[in-house]
Amino acid sequence: HGHWHHHTVVIHKEIKGVGYGGYDCDAGASNWMQGWSTKKKDWCCKRGHNQYCVKFHCHGKDVSMHTWSTEHRDFCCSNFQLACPHTTLSPLGCDAQCVLKGESNTCKERMEWTQEHVFGSHDNGCNLAYSKVQVECDVCRACSIEAAGCGEQGPGKAAFDCHAALGNWC
């Protein structure tokens, strides 16, 4: 009668940038600061991808904000809106200065830029920009949607961008 032969074939395929237990340091690189986990940033940094090294960590179970230096708080506030000093609504409304990642603009200027450069093709780009800037810059909460110039626009397909700053959620 016939004989049965059993063979095991192992195929090893190496994927660029990924090792055992590792990460692909090219995947998601355009939004690495907000989009990557602390572990992925550390992993890529330790393997020579110095552009992904961060001076401070802002997320994770070992984070203890009450022990942070002023520099650490400023970094986490600017990049993740964490550990920011408590703010009150500015009487300046849309003319309040929003400082984000070292750049200072009025809330209205930031909304106009975001509408044109981020949501330009959307019917409701003003509403989306308004929502995004309010999430990114706390002081802009004092700017009403009407004062921002979005009052007559209507909701469009989606009144707000539910994905704006989604990466900031732990």
Side-chain angles (χ1 to χ4, degrees), residues 107 110-111 114 128-137 140:
C107 296
R110 190 168 299 280
M111 288 176 193
T114 301
L128 294 169
Y130 175 82
S131 176
K132 181 173 175 50
V133 170
Q134 289 219 329
V135 168
E136 292 175 340
C137 200
C140 294

Side-chain angles (χ1 to χ4, degrees), residues 90-107:
S90 169
L92 298 175
C94 296
D95 293 325
Q97 287 294 310
C98 170
V99 180
L100 189 63
K101 297 183 181 177
E103 292 188 26
S104 180
N105 300 92
T106 67
C107 296

Side-chain angles (χ1 to χ4, degrees), residues 23 25 32 36-55 57:
Y23 298 92
C25 298
W32 72 274
W36 287 7
S37 68
T38 299
K39 287 182 180 181
K40 181 172 180 177
K41 290 174 193 171
D42 288 348
W43 193 90
C44 292
C45 177
K46 287 176 185 172
R47 279 150 185 84
H49 299 276
N50 295 333
Q51 69 271 32
Y52 305 128
C53 298
V54 292
K55 188 171 185 176
H57 290 300

Side-chain angles (χ1 to χ4, degrees), residues 136-151:
E136 292 175 340
C137 200
D138 195 47
V139 71
C140 294
R141 290 183 300 122
C143 177
S144 71
I145 197 161
E146 293 82 12
C150 302

Side-chain angles (χ1 to χ4, degrees), residues 13-127:
K13 181 178 180 184
E14 185 175 326
I15 301 172
K16 180 184 173 209
V18 179
Y20 177 75
Y23 298 92
D24 181 348
C25 298
D26 294 324
S30 64
N31 188 35
W32 72 274
M33 179 67 83
Q34 282 79 23
W36 287 7
S37 68
T38 299
K39 287 182 180 181
K40 181 172 180 177
K41 290 174 193 171
D42 288 348
W43 193 90
C44 292
C45 177
K46 287 176 185 172
R47 279 150 185 84
H49 299 276
N50 295 333
Q51 69 271 32
Y52 305 128
C53 298
V54 292
K55 188 171 185 176
F56 301 108
H57 290 300
C58 304
H59 299 93
K61 64 181 179 185
D62 298 329
V63 171
S64 181
M65 291 183 203
H66 69 278
T67 63
W68 289 357
S69 66
T70 301
E71 186 182 10
H72 192 159
R73 288 179 187 274
D74 289 348
F75 175 84
C76 293
C77 180
S78 294
N79 291 285
F80 300 101
Q81 284 63 60
L82 291 175
C84 299
H86 179 70
T87 59
T88 56
L89 295 179
S90 169
L92 298 175
C94 296
D95 293 325
Q97 287 294 310
C98 170
V99 180
L100 189 63
K101 297 183 181 177
E103 292 188 26
S104 180
N105 300 92
T106 67
C107 296
K108 184 155 180 136
E109 290 169 341
R110 190 168 299 280
M111 288 176 193
E112 289 170 350
W113 186 93
T114 301
Q115 178 182 358
E116 181 180 341
H117 294 92
V118 178
F119 300 111
S121 64
H122 294 272
D123 293 339
N124 59 336
C126 189
N127 290 4

